Amino acid sequence: MGRGLFGLVVVAIGILIAFLVGNPYFGWVIARVMGEQTVWFQNADGSRTTQVSGPNVPLPEWVPVMPEALRIKSGRVLEDQGRPSKSGDLELLSHDEAPAIVAWYAKELAARGFTVAPPRPDAADLLRFTSAVEGEVMAANPALGVDVRVLVRSRQGLLLRPRLVELHWLDHPRAKP
């Protein structure tokens, strides 16, 4: 079997797995196969930014991880000379209902000193329609200098029906250096 045909078969099997058990489970497998990935960016000012992602990248202490959620992968951005920035992300796999996940993250972020923004009712239908998002939490903590967005995706797959939970955090735009 040629390499092209082998690659096609592997992709077809991957699509079948994602279709049957859901993309979050497929992402979990791929993250373990790929391991840790590192990407470097050369900034206009000559400094270098590094992004590290993988299944075991350490999280900041303040990042809440839902109990019983399966950690798919996480990522962190490192500024020049290896100093961690306040930007990163986390992907989780959950079987909980979207409102329960949203409520848990709103409560946990508030307990960690974040100001949780009220839900955006006008955007909810558009988000659900365009990007399969069933829930969202937005929060800010100027003391930490971080803004957080939690997205709860629609269920996927025919058999196991998991949902993807994404946390994204960025430097707070009004944070002092």
Side-chain angles (χ1 to χ4, degrees):
M1 178 179 337
R3 287 183 5 191
L5 183 57
F6 179 74
L8 185 62
V9 168
V10 168
V11 168
I13 290 171
I15 290 171
L16 181 63
I17 290 170
F19 185 69
L20 291 176
V21 298
N23 192 43
Y25 278 110
F26 184 67
W28 182 86
V29 170
I30 293 298
R32 267 110 200 112
V33 169
M34 303 254 326
E36 189 172 291
Q37 304 290 310
T38 304
V39 178
W40 294 275
F41 302 95
Q42 187 70 33
N43 301 319
D45 65 359
S47 64
R48 187 167 81 174
T49 301
T50 305
Q51 182 174 353
V52 180
S53 66
N56 299 312
V57 173
L59 298 172
E61 291 178 18
W62 59 264
V63 173
V65 178
M66 283 186 62
E68 299 181 22
L70 181 64
R71 182 172 169 175
I72 297 172
K73 68 175 184 158
S74 56
R76 296 286 302 272
V77 176
L78 304 174
E79 295 174 354
D80 201 20
Q81 300 173 357
R83 294 184 309 269
S85 79
K86 295 176 183 160
S87 299
D89 58 68
L90 171 65
E91 291 183 2
L92 300 170
L93 179 153
S94 177
H95 288 276
D96 291 343
E97 295 300 323
I101 296 170
V102 167
W104 190 88
Y105 270 102
K107 179 182 171 191
E108 287 298 314
L109 288 168
R112 288 170 166 79
F114 282 79
T115 302
V116 178
R120 302 180 301 168
D122 57 334
D125 290 333
L126 181 61
L127 276 174
R128 198 170 293 120
F129 179 72
T130 60
S131 57
V133 173
E134 290 188 9
E136 177 184 38
V137 178
M138 295 180 70
N141 187 328
L144 287 175
V146 177
D147 284 345
V148 177
R149 183 176 187 200
V150 179
L151 296 174
V152 181
R153 301 281 181 182
S154 300
R155 291 192 180 278
Q156 299 177 14
L158 293 176
L159 302 176
L160 300 179
R161 308 282 298 146
R163 66 175 74 246
L164 180 64
V165 179
E166 301 174 31
L167 282 78
H168 304 278
W169 58 92
L170 301 167
D171 290 332
H172 193 283
R174 294 167 297 285
K176 296 179 182 176

